[in-house]
């Protein structure tokens, strides 16, 4: 099994209302992927609830049966479209992939 975790920190918003709108947009873009891609075993998106200054804003937490399925996901037209749609939201990204 492979766990794929992606963290995002939003970098360009005017106020907390705009930040919340961007987070909702991220959720809307990515949360549909498990319904479109049958090789995703588990998939969750979430907005940060911590007030810590070092906390990231949004997470995609997913599981695949093997690295080949993760590669299929990352290169699928559905995922590439989601990445393109989310590119209008300025952000930093961190990724961790590990086997378990």
């Amino acid at each position: 099994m492979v766990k794929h975790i992606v963290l995002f920190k939003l970098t360009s918003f005017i106020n907390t209302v705009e930040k919340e709108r961007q987070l909702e947009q991220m959720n809307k873009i990515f949360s549909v992927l498990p319904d479109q891609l049958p090789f995703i075993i588990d998939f969750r998106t979430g907005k940060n609830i911590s007030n810590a200054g070092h906390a990231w804003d949004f997470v995609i937490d997913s599981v695949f049966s093997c690295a080949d399925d993760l590669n299929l996901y990352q290169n699928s037209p559905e995922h590439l479209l989601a990445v393109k749609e989310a590119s209008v939201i300025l952000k930093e990204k961190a990724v961790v992939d590990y086997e378990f």
Side-chain angles (χ1 to χ4, degrees):
M1 303 289 275
V2 175
K3 179 76 110 164
H4 175 63
I5 301 172
V6 186
L7 300 170
F8 299 94
K9 185 177 280 271
L10 303 185
T11 59
S12 181
F13 49 89
I14 298 169
N15 53 40
T16 56
V17 172
E18 174 64 15
K19 182 177 183 180
E20 185 64 27
R21 187 193 65 74
Q22 290 179 11
L23 290 169
E24 288 298 326
Q25 188 176 0
M26 292 281 292
N27 189 58
K28 182 179 176 182
I29 291 168
F30 287 102
S31 64
V32 298
L33 291 176
D35 294 332
Q36 299 172 346
L37 302 169
F39 44 82
I40 296 173
I41 293 176
D42 191 32
F43 192 96
R44 292 182 172 87
T45 59
K47 296 184 293 181
N48 176 47
I49 61 170
S50 170
N51 292 323
H54 59 272
W56 291 65
D57 297 312
F58 188 81
V59 64
I60 298 171
D61 182 0
S62 53
V63 176
F64 301 86
S65 64
C66 60
D68 287 341
D69 282 355
L70 172 57
N71 187 52
L72 283 173
Y73 163 76
Q74 290 173 321
N75 293 293
S76 70
E78 296 86 353
H79 177 258
L80 294 174
L81 178 61
V83 169
K84 182 179 178 181
E85 289 176 357
S87 70
V88 299
I89 300 169
L90 301 179
K91 58 201 166 301
E92 295 178 22
K93 178 172 86 169
V95 177
V96 175
D97 297 320
Y98 66 92
E99 294 181 325
F100 66 100

